[in-house]
Amino acid sequence: MKCLQCQNPESKVLESRESRDGRTVRRRRECVSCGYRFTTFERSEEQPLYIIKRDGTRELFSREKLLKSMGIACQKRSVSSKSLDAICDWLESVCHSSEEREITTQKIGELVLEALLKLDPVAYVRFASVYRAFSSPEDFVLELKLLIERAQKNNFNLDLEKEN
């Protein structure tokens, strides 16, 4: 791992910690040349996961793209980046536990919506508006009606008031 400060390829590991799920290792490193300290994260390499887009094209799954899209939906909401990372971890484990190496954007979108609904209903509606390509105010109204019906049917609260 090259030093971020001087680009020296040699560093020594000061500390290593495994993540809770055991899939990532966090290493604290120090450059042997300049003494600069930095952190790296290591993940075991898994079989590549391909995304089948609506137009039929395929591309590699990108955790960064998923985090970015969820981040946009959660803007100005009290949703932590840690929560979004947890959703990505969960989604990746669901996808990798499947025997399929290709997954549709539709399946990923539905999984993200399922997770966002539990996390923040406003973020859910924002994500749904892009994912489902809402084209009119009526699309929002319909989605909100379905969301309220689902909440009543499953007996969960959509109240966004948070206790401090």
Side-chain angles (χ1 to χ4, degrees), residues 39 101 110 152:
T39 302
R101 295 288 53 133
E110 293 301 325
Q152 290 170 343

Side-chain angles (χ1 to χ4, degrees), residues 109-128:
E110 293 301 325
L111 289 170
V112 170
L113 285 173
E114 178 184 326
L116 285 177
L117 179 59
K118 295 173 186 171
L119 187 65
D120 187 292
V122 172
Y124 166 90
V125 173
R126 288 176 176 174
F127 190 88

Side-chain angles (χ1 to χ4, degrees), residues 1-11 27-41:
M1 189 68 183
K2 285 186 179 180
C3 172
L4 301 171
Q5 197 78 0
C6 71
Q7 303 301 309
N8 181 27
E10 295 182 41
S11 64
R27 298 197 195 280
R28 195 70 186 133
R29 297 178 176 269
E30 182 177 62
C31 176
V32 295
S33 175
C34 70
Y36 181 74
R37 291 183 177 196
F38 56 100
T39 302
T40 61
F41 295 91

Side-chain angles (χ1 to χ4, degrees), residues 101-160:
R101 295 288 53 133
E102 295 182 340
I103 188 166
T104 64
T105 53
Q106 180 180 0
K107 177 67 175 170
I108 287 180
E110 293 301 325
L111 289 170
V112 170
L113 285 173
E114 178 184 326
L116 285 177
L117 179 59
K118 295 173 186 171
L119 187 65
D120 187 292
V122 172
Y124 166 90
V125 173
R126 288 176 176 174
F127 190 88
S129 72
V130 174
Y131 165 67
R132 294 191 176 134
F134 290 0
S135 59
S136 69
E138 290 78 18
D139 293 337
F140 283 92
V141 171
L142 179 60
E143 188 67 35
L144 289 171
K145 284 180 181 177
L146 292 171
L147 182 59
I148 291 167
E149 287 173 14
R150 185 173 174 188
Q152 290 170 343
K153 179 181 174 187
N154 295 321
N155 200 22
F156 66 86
N157 190 359
L158 291 175
D159 186 11
L160 300 177

Side-chain angles (χ1 to χ4, degrees), residues 12-61:
K12 62 182 178 181
V13 175
L14 302 175
E15 175 188 4
S16 291
R17 288 188 189 171
E18 195 173 285
S19 66
R20 285 187 208 134
D21 65 2
R23 295 177 50 162
T24 307
V25 176
R26 176 187 183 271
R27 298 197 195 280
R28 195 70 186 133
R29 297 178 176 269
E30 182 177 62
C31 176
V32 295
S33 175
C34 70
Y36 181 74
R37 291 183 177 196
F38 56 100
T39 302
T40 61
F41 295 91
E42 297 177 15
R43 288 177 180 245
S44 59
E45 189 173 57
E46 296 179 358
Q47 292 285 59
L49 181 64
Y50 286 93
I51 306 304
I52 304 171
K53 300 181 92 173
R54 288 182 185 172
D55 65 1
T57 59
R58 289 170 169 68
E59 66 180 47
L60 279 173
F61 172 80

Side-chain angles (χ1 to χ4, degrees), residues 63-80:
R63 180 183 178 90
E64 292 75 28
K65 281 176 78 171
L66 181 59
L67 278 170
K68 183 179 176 185
S69 65
M70 288 191 306
I72 291 168
C74 294
Q75 266 182 337
K76 298 186 181 181
R77 304 293 306 156
S78 59
V79 175
S80 69

